[in-house]
């Protein structure tokens, strides 16, 4: 459970230092405070990084992720890292190779990408990093999921995949790579073998 920095006891702070998550908790609390103001519409000047972070957190919240869990904010860091890697993708062949390489990294829990986010930026262990993300995923609230948004990102029959590959999809959606911006109702056509002269001329 994510708490404000002041709410942690000395023992909890010592434990976080030992497992190397104290800075990650500090960053997560910063993001959580910003997000609270963001969803309330409070006026605040955000950097490009914070603006993108708020967009990603908004998407995660609408997908049922618990906003009081550290893992949600760690997952946000993964998604924004993928956004940075994808922002210059144009569809060229070389870009496709870059995307394949990125997908391979996202599927490897000990890849350089996760090392950069967990060890280099958040100064925490790789294993606690992944375990916290998994805890948030386990606590997704199905009743809080925006089904329209889920459909836009994952389609009507989403494939079972790891959260690294889903981070790729979430980053692509965040960057606006999907042409489908809203759910359109299906076009319902008449049966072709019913003669026009048998159709009712007025509605009931």
């Amino acid at each position: 459970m994510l708490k404000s920095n002041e709410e942690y006891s000395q023992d909890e702070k010592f434990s976080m230092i030992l497992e190397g998550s104290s800075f990650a908790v500090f960053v997560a609390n910063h993001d959580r405070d910003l997000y609270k103001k963001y969803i309330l519409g409070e006026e605040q000047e955000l950097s490009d990084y914070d603006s993108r972070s708020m967009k990603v957190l908004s998407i995660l919240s609408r997908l049922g992720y618990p906003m009081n869990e550290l893992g949600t904010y760690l997952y946000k860091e993964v998604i924004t890292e993928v956004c940075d890697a994808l922002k210059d993708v144009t569809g060229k062949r070389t870009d496709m190779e870059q995307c394949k390489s990125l997908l391979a990294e996202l599927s490897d829990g000990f890849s350089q990408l996760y090392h950069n986010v967990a060890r280099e930026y958040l100064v925490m262990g790789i294993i606690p990093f992944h375990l916290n993300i998994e805890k948030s995923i386990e606590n997704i609230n199905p009743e809080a999921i925006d089904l329209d948004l889920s459909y836009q990102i994952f389609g009507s029959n989403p494939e079972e995949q790891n959260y690294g590959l889903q981070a790729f999809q979430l980053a692509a959606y965040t960057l606006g790579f999907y042409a489908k911006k809203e759910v359109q109702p299906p076009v319902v056509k008449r049966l072709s073998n019913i003669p026009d002269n048998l159709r009712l001329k007025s509605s009931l």
Side-chain angles (χ1 to χ4, degrees):
M1 180 73 70
L2 191 62
K3 300 185 285 189
S4 68
N5 295 319
E6 296 76 19
E7 291 176 318
Y8 288 104
S9 68
Q10 289 301 318
D11 285 344
E12 286 174 318
K13 289 178 181 178
F14 183 65
S15 177
M16 285 190 292
I17 291 170
L18 287 179
E19 71 176 22
S21 62
S22 55
F23 182 67
V25 170
F26 173 81
V27 172
N29 274 318
H30 167 78
D31 285 342
R32 186 176 65 166
D33 291 343
L34 276 183
Y35 184 67
K36 285 178 180 177
K37 294 176 182 177
Y38 177 80
I39 59 176
L40 290 173
E42 292 184 17
E43 195 71 31
Q44 54 184 335
E45 195 165 329
L46 298 175
S47 65
D48 289 343
Y49 173 80
D50 282 336
S51 181
R52 180 174 290 165
S53 292
M54 295 306 100
K55 186 173 182 179
V56 172
L57 286 174
S58 176
I59 291 169
L60 291 176
S61 175
R62 291 171 63 194
L63 291 176
Y65 278 77
M67 304 310 288
N68 61 346
E69 288 289 347
L70 173 61
T72 298
Y73 298 87
L74 301 183
Y75 195 35
K76 184 272 297 181
E77 297 294 348
V78 175
I79 296 165
T80 55
E81 182 79 1
V82 179
C83 284
D84 285 340
L86 289 178
K87 63 185 179 183
D88 296 323
V89 167
T90 60
K92 296 178 182 177
R93 187 179 182 83
T94 52
D95 290 338
M96 294 304 103
E97 292 303 315
Q98 177 189 339
C99 287
K100 286 180 183 178
S101 175
L102 181 57
L103 288 168
E105 278 203 273
L106 286 165
S107 293
D108 177 2
F110 297 95
S111 69
Q112 188 63 45
L113 184 147
Y114 290 117
H115 179 84
N116 290 344
V117 176
R119 296 292 301 155
E120 298 298 324
Y121 174 50
L122 295 173
V123 200
M124 72 180 295
I126 296 287
I127 297 299
F129 178 82
H130 286 295
L131 291 178
N132 274 286
I133 292 176
E134 289 176 9
K135 183 180 177 184
S136 283
I137 292 170
E138 289 168 3
N139 286 300
I140 287 174
N141 179 3
E143 295 181 2
I145 296 175
D146 182 330
L147 296 179
D148 283 349
L149 176 65
S150 181
Y151 175 79
Q152 290 175 50
I153 298 172
F154 305 117
S156 56
N157 295 300
E159 297 178 9
E160 187 173 318
Q161 58 186 355
N162 62 55
Y163 59 80
L165 298 181
Q166 283 209 352
F168 185 94
Q169 286 182 285
L170 292 165
Y173 180 82
T174 301
L175 293 172
F177 285 175
Y178 294 142
K180 195 173 198 176
K181 294 296 183 184
E182 57 186 30
V183 177
Q184 296 289 342
V187 176
V188 183
K189 300 177 73 174
R190 295 172 172 177
L191 295 176
S192 59
N193 62 341
I194 304 296
D196 284 341
N197 61 346
L198 296 181
R199 290 194 170 97
L200 295 175
K201 300 300 182 184
S202 62
S203 59
L204 296 177

